[in-house]
Amino acid sequence: MFSVDLKSRTPIYEQLKNSALELIMHGVLKVDDPVPSVRSLASQLGVNPNTIQKAYQEMEREGIIYSLPGKGSFVSDKIKSNPMLLNDSIEKLRTAIYQARLYGVEEETAIAVVKHVYERGISNES
Amino acid sequence: MFSVDLKSRTPIYEQLKNSALELIMHGVLKVDDPVPSVRSLASQLGVNPNTIQKAYQEMEREGIIYSLPGKGSFVSDKIKSNPMLLNDSIEKLRTAIYQARLYGVEEETAIAVVKHVYERGISNES
Amino acid sequence: MFSVDLKSRTPIYEQLKNSALELIMHGVLKVDDPVPSVRSLASQLGVNPNTIQKAYQEMEREGIIYSLPGKGSFVSDKIKSNPMLLNDSIEKLRTAIYQARLYGVEEETAIAVVKHVYERGISNES
Amino acid sequence: MFSVDLKSRTPIYEQLKNSALELIMHGVLKVDDPVPSVRSLASQLGVNPNTIQKAYQEMEREGIIYSLPGKGSFVSDKIKSNPMLLNDSIEKLRTAIYQARLYGVEEETAIAVVKHVYERGISNES
DNA sequence: GTGGTCTAGACCACA
DNA sequence: GTGGTCTAGACCACA
């Protein structure tokens, strides 16, 4: 289910978080569902266990998953209720928009990109 | 005129590029206007000359300025004519929007942010 | 495999680019093959890591290699698809021919040199 | 008669030498003709006298002109008989051709460029 | 381990 | 004075 692109320049642990969020948003993973163990996911994706560990730790800190020692990690129900993350991503969005504007992207173009992403998502993982 | 935030985690040379783009877009710097010399800007900002060098060389590659060894660096007129940069910034925008969406930012919110930035710019950040 | 002449007046990072291009064109390095790490190549050639960094970053910008922070640098498959580089090198060629002509090199001689280089390459220099 | 492009990245003293060689090759300047004084040429071209000085010194060393103290500088007749310069420019030509080849320029293209330059020269100074 | 950024300071060619 | 190259060495995030 999880997928990462080893050749992408976005950190693998970032991609793992995105992948998890997508699975949750698409309803594939529901609240209290178990996520793969660090080791199994690491061997399955051909990725260093440290990297999976880091992704899980961040996700736990962000309330995306919770872990029960000895039992594993599970999908949390606190995702929506984390204003920090929401503000953070809006802040990043603002910066990206600002950058685009500096480089000559028109407002209409920017809005069109927003609509496109919300309707059809993004093709190649990020 | 140029300003950088030494505490920011966005690289200083990146901030310098943004700062230059702003000055150019706001008409403070016009085509063929000289930009500060590597050394003077370095001492003025309290930054290592190498860092300014790197920023200037990137800007030259991107057609934002041109450098004449022995004479100085000047604002170029090729900024608009670089499709690579425009595509790059749209790509970054797409990624940021995608991320925002994953973290629960609504489409209307995203569009509102776009409009806000295009109307009033961005306060601090660079 | 890589080689540089520390005494040459062509910048070391320039020589490194040429050296890499040769290895790739001769088939020694193939697409997705790893190139030596910045540090290992630096110590191997007796050159400062920063210089290798600079060479690698230029090569990445030109699509000769791609770098994955934390993993290493690898041969890219985008080399051929960069029209900028081709135009640039033709421009440099034009200048060199013009200079040669000014200094009395005959047209036949120039053509003979072209043929010689294309048949047998170049001995030392880089 | 002499012309330089202050915006070009080829050193001004290089351009001056090229300009002089062109004038000589085109018969505008003949053997023993006087060339402008350092000061007059400097003010005429809006260039630093040091730069003119350097160009003249190099040209004298290369046998392109000779100077009579107190009288000025004159076109020499030793230009053609300087194998050093000829070899030098052939060497530079070889390097440029080699580079072009590395970047994918075909042999036919290179030869076409040679012919073009010998027939019609080069438009924008170098 | 890997690449990326930065400081401190030297030396070069050119104007 | 100017930009360009390079060394020496530090610290960071990521795998």
Side-chain angles (χ1 to χ4, degrees):
Chain A
M1 314 196 297
F2 286 84
S3 68
V4 290
D5 173 7
L6 301 202
K7 274 195 171 190
S8 165
R9 4 179 40 99
T10 50
I12 291 175
Y13 81 92
E14 272 305 324
Q15 295 184 49
L16 278 167
K17 280 168 57 182
N18 289 341
S19 196
L21 283 169
E22 272 188 277
L23 290 169
I24 294 169
M25 289 187 75
H26 289 13
V28 182
L29 286 176
K30 300 198 177 66
V31 172
D32 292 331
D33 275 0
V35 295
S37 77
V38 170
R39 282 194 205 92
S40 70
L41 191 53
S43 72
Q44 179 191 322
L45 297 175
V47 159
N48 193 307
N50 290 334
T51 309
I52 309 284
Q53 190 62 272
K54 173 157 189 174
Y56 277 21
Q57 282 175 353
E58 284 213 3
M59 286 197 273
E60 191 167 359
R61 222 183 317 121
E62 296 177 359
I64 297 169
I65 62 176
Y66 64 91
S67 68
L68 299 180
K71 291 200 152 183
S73 301
F74 306 85
V75 174
S76 166
D77 60 346
K78 299 186 201 144
I79 321 173
K80 299 271 172 178
S81 60
N82 193 334
M84 270 287 286
L85 296 178
L86 207 141
N87 284 339
D88 254 35
S89 51
I90 288 182
E91 202 45 56
K92 282 180 188 162
L93 184 55
R94 287 202 337 143
T95 309
I97 295 166
Y98 183 67
Q99 289 270 353
R101 180 177 162 231
L102 279 182
Y103 278 104
V105 175
E106 303 284 353
E107 184 172 0
E108 299 78 47
T109 310
I111 291 179
V113 175
V114 170
K115 290 183 176 165
H116 190 273
V117 172
Y118 271 86
E119 277 166 30
R120 308 187 206 168
I122 204 165
S123 43
N124 47 342
E125 285 292 323
S126 68
Chain B
M1 314 197 296
F2 287 83
S3 67
V4 290
D5 173 9
L6 302 193
K7 290 177 187 163
S8 167
R9 47 205 341 133
T10 53
I12 294 175
Y13 76 88
E14 202 73 44
Q15 296 183 45
L16 278 167
K17 277 168 58 181
N18 289 339
S19 196
L21 279 171
E22 274 188 272
L23 290 170
I24 293 170
M25 293 198 74
H26 289 15
V28 181
L29 287 175
K30 300 195 177 69
V31 172
D32 290 332
D33 275 359
V35 294
S37 80
V38 171
R39 282 173 186 71
S40 68
L41 190 54
S43 72
Q44 178 190 322
L45 297 175
V47 160
N48 190 288
N50 283 333
T51 305
I52 309 287
Q53 237 333 354
K54 177 160 187 173
Y56 276 21
Q57 285 184 351
E58 283 220 359
M59 287 198 265
E60 182 164 18
R61 241 183 300 117
E62 296 179 359
I64 298 171
I65 63 173
Y66 60 90
S67 299
L68 304 182
K71 298 196 74 175
S73 302
F74 308 85
V75 175
S76 169
D77 60 346
K78 294 185 200 148
I79 320 172
K80 300 270 172 179
S81 60
N82 195 335
M84 273 284 288
L85 297 178
L86 207 142
N87 287 337
D88 271 17
S89 50
I90 288 181
E91 203 44 54
K92 284 181 187 162
L93 184 55
R94 284 195 349 135
T95 310
I97 295 166
Y98 177 70
Q99 289 272 356
R101 179 179 160 230
L102 279 182
Y103 278 102
V105 175
E106 302 286 350
E107 183 171 0
E108 297 79 47
T109 311
I111 292 179
V113 175
V114 170
K115 289 184 176 163
H116 189 273
V117 171
Y118 271 87
E119 276 164 31
R120 310 190 204 165
I122 202 162
S123 43
N124 48 341
E125 291 281 334
S126 62
Chain C
M1 314 196 299
F2 286 84
S3 67
V4 290
D5 173 9
L6 302 192
K7 289 179 188 163
S8 166
R9 48 207 338 138
T10 53
I12 293 173
Y13 76 89
E14 201 74 42
Q15 295 183 47
L16 277 168
K17 278 167 56 180
N18 290 339
S19 195
L21 280 171
E22 273 187 273
L23 290 170
I24 293 170
M25 293 198 74
H26 289 15
V28 181
L29 287 175
K30 301 199 177 65
V31 172
D32 291 331
D33 275 359
V35 295
S37 79
V38 171
R39 282 172 186 72
S40 68
L41 190 54
S43 73
Q44 179 189 321
L45 297 176
V47 159
N48 190 289
N50 283 332
T51 306
I52 309 287
Q53 242 323 2
K54 177 161 189 173
Y56 276 21
Q57 285 185 351
E58 283 220 358
M59 286 198 266
E60 183 164 18
R61 242 183 300 116
E62 296 179 0
I64 298 170
I65 65 174
Y66 60 90
S67 298
L68 303 182
K71 298 196 72 176
S73 302
F74 307 85
V75 175
S76 169
D77 60 346
K78 296 186 200 147
I79 321 172
K80 298 270 172 179
S81 61
N82 194 334
M84 273 284 288
L85 297 178
L86 207 142
N87 287 337
D88 270 19
S89 50
I90 289 181
E91 203 44 56
K92 284 180 186 163
L93 184 55
R94 286 199 341 140
T95 310
I97 295 167
Y98 177 70
Q99 289 273 352
R101 179 179 161 230
L102 279 182
Y103 278 103
V105 175
E106 303 286 349
E107 184 171 0
E108 298 79 46
T109 311
I111 291 178
V113 175
V114 170
K115 289 184 175 165
H116 189 272
V117 171
Y118 271 86
E119 276 165 32
R120 308 191 207 167
I122 204 164
S123 44
N124 48 343
E125 293 279 334
S126 62
Chain D
M1 316 194 297
F2 286 83
S3 68
V4 290
D5 173 7
L6 301 202
K7 275 194 170 191
S8 167
R9 4 180 41 101
T10 50
I12 291 175
Y13 80 92
E14 272 305 325
Q15 294 185 48
L16 278 167
K17 279 168 58 182
N18 288 341
S19 195
L21 283 169
E22 272 188 276
L23 291 169
I24 294 169
M25 290 187 75
H26 289 13
V28 181
L29 286 176
K30 299 192 177 70
V31 172
D32 293 331
D33 275 359
V35 295
S37 76
V38 170
R39 282 196 205 90
S40 70
L41 191 53
S43 72
Q44 179 192 322
L45 297 174
V47 159
N48 193 308
N50 289 335
T51 308
I52 309 285
Q53 189 62 271
K54 173 157 188 174
Y56 277 22
Q57 281 174 356
E58 283 214 3
M59 285 198 273
E60 191 169 358
R61 220 182 321 120
E62 295 177 359
I64 299 170
I65 60 174
Y66 63 90
S67 68
L68 300 180
K71 290 201 152 180
S73 300
F74 306 85
V75 175
S76 166
D77 61 346
K78 297 185 203 147
I79 322 170
K80 300 272 173 179
S81 60
N82 193 334
M84 271 285 287
L85 296 178
L86 208 140
N87 283 338
D88 255 33
S89 49
I90 288 181
E91 202 44 57
K92 283 179 187 164
L93 184 55
R94 285 196 348 136
T95 308
I97 295 166
Y98 183 68
Q99 288 271 353
R101 180 178 161 231
L102 278 182
Y103 277 104
V105 175
E106 303 284 352
E107 183 170 1
E108 298 79 48
T109 311
I111 291 179
V113 175
V114 170
K115 289 184 175 164
H116 190 273
V117 171
Y118 272 87
E119 277 165 31
R120 309 189 206 167
I122 202 165
S123 43
N124 48 343
E125 286 292 326
S126 69

